[in-house]
Amino acid sequence: MSVGPGFVLVDKATGWTSHDVVAKARTLFRIRKIGHAGTLDPMATGLLVLGLGAATRLLRFITDQPKEYVATACFGVTTDTLDADGEVLDRTPMEVGAADVAEVMAGYVGEVLQVPPMFSAVRVGGKRLHDLARSGHKIERSPRSVRVDRIGLEGFEPGVYPLVRFRVVGGRGLYVRVLADDVAKALGGRAHLTALRRVRNGVLSVENATGIDRIVALCREDRLDRLVLTPNQGLAHLPPVEVPEDLVGAVSNGRRLPTELVGSARADEPVRMVAGMRMLAVYRIRGDRLSPEVVLP
């Protein structure tokens, strides 16, 4: 069964890379053009949003949305990857309390600077950091500004190596494992993640996602279409603009339009151009005109 352009919400299991999920989806959906809205490390689980076909061009409007994670960190133990998949570099007991951790975490709300970890997909000089790390190289990385919208302690297991469970909502480019390690550094030690789960990407929730095993079963039953969100559904966070019938052809051809069509939309804010339940395009106010960002076939 062929499926149209749209989005699939996958509940990624531990041990899978994001690339593994995309490769599997290409086989199951029989579509070569598939992308995702933000990498999850192999150890991490949870929501991975896939874009199918022409919807890959719309993924950036999902990638830019806040992401929510639930994580557990072990304080006092650091690894080379800053998560449980790495090799332990040091163990130094940290006898800190829950109140200490919560107080430090509160200081990380807002714009913060993070140094990308060596084991990451960030490119430096045309090479990915994780490739350099695996070949034994460690290079200087410039700190990057990332946004933390909310962070809060949800559980604390005391001990010489306390386990800290927390929830964080942040913007694009946030490394939760670096955040955990930075909090530990502020308390005089180091940390690594033992668990990480992405539970939300914008308005899209892991509660509506499907595991790979179930996707395989639906493929055998020829029912994959039931998993696909239309572009209109997947981008429900963008303000909708109902296109008059006489302008549907103009929007489908990517013509610039008067800004009066969008009413109170803010300048430079993307909007969904819709005709009934069908999304025709994403437009944005540029100057005194409404200009196309992505036009769907």
Side-chain angles (χ1 to χ4, degrees), residues 18-261:
S18 299
H19 182 269
D20 291 338
V21 174
V22 168
K24 187 68 173 179
R26 284 173 177 153
T27 300
L28 296 173
F29 287 90
R30 299 179 183 178
I31 297 175
R32 180 63 187 167
K33 193 173 184 181
I34 296 181
H36 64 76
T39 300
L40 278 176
D41 294 328
M43 186 203 76
T45 67
L47 182 61
L48 186 68
V49 181
L50 303 184
L52 310 183
T56 56
R57 298 162 59 207
L58 300 170
L59 283 171
R60 67 178 185 266
F61 302 109
I62 295 176
T63 303
D64 289 340
Q65 291 298 294
K67 296 179 176 68
E68 181 175 353
Y69 301 87
V70 176
T72 301
C74 177
F75 277 40
V77 181
T78 187
T79 70
D80 56 359
T81 59
L82 298 183
D83 65 22
D85 283 341
E87 295 184 9
V88 173
L89 300 178
D90 183 67
R91 293 179 185 271
T92 301
M94 284 185 67
E95 296 190 19
V96 296
D100 301 319
V101 176
E103 181 180 359
V104 170
M105 280 184 171
Y108 280 84
V109 175
E111 295 292 325
V112 299
L113 291 177
Q114 282 192 339
V115 176
M118 278 302 302
F119 283 89
S120 67
V122 173
R123 288 185 182 274
V124 175
K127 295 183 178 180
R128 294 198 183 275
L129 288 177
H130 58 63
D131 290 332
L132 293 171
R134 291 188 182 103
S135 62
H137 294 89
K138 185 175 181 179
I139 64 173
E140 291 295 320
R141 289 96 66 203
S142 299
R144 297 182 172 193
S145 178
V146 296
R147 189 184 75 252
V148 177
D149 298 321
R150 187 168 72 252
I151 184 171
L153 189 66
E154 294 207 334
F156 186 85
E157 185 177 321
V160 292
Y161 302 116
L163 292 178
V164 177
R165 187 173 186 270
F166 63 99
R167 185 179 298 264
V168 59
V169 179
R172 184 172 187 171
L174 173 68
Y175 283 97
V176 180
R177 51 197 162 111
V178 173
L179 180 61
D181 190 46
D182 285 345
V183 169
K185 286 178 181 177
L187 289 164
R190 300 292 302 274
H192 75 282
L193 291 186
T194 60
L196 178 66
R197 183 164 177 79
R198 183 189 288 161
V199 297
R200 184 172 62 85
N201 188 160
V203 300
L204 304 175
S205 171
V206 73
E207 293 180 359
N208 300 314
T210 306
I212 289 292
D213 289 346
R214 178 59 179 157
I215 297 176
V216 170
L218 289 172
C219 179
R220 290 172 180 156
E221 298 166 8
D222 202 21
R223 293 196 295 161
L224 285 177
D225 58 313
R226 66 184 297 177
L227 297 177
V228 181
L229 299 177
T230 66
N232 206 30
Q233 293 170 322
L235 298 187
H237 62 284
L238 298 184
V241 174
E242 186 66 38
V243 179
E245 187 176 347
D246 61 332
L247 288 179
V248 168
V251 171
S252 296
N253 288 319
R255 285 178 52 189
R256 299 176 71 207
L257 300 169
T259 56
E260 288 78 8
L261 280 174

Side-chain angles (χ1 to χ4, degrees), residues 58 251-252 271-274 279-283 292 294-296:
L58 300 170
V251 171
S252 296
V271 295
R272 282 180 292 141
M273 307 296 284
V274 299
M279 194 177 89
L280 305 172
V282 174
Y283 270 57
V294 177
V295 177
L296 294 172

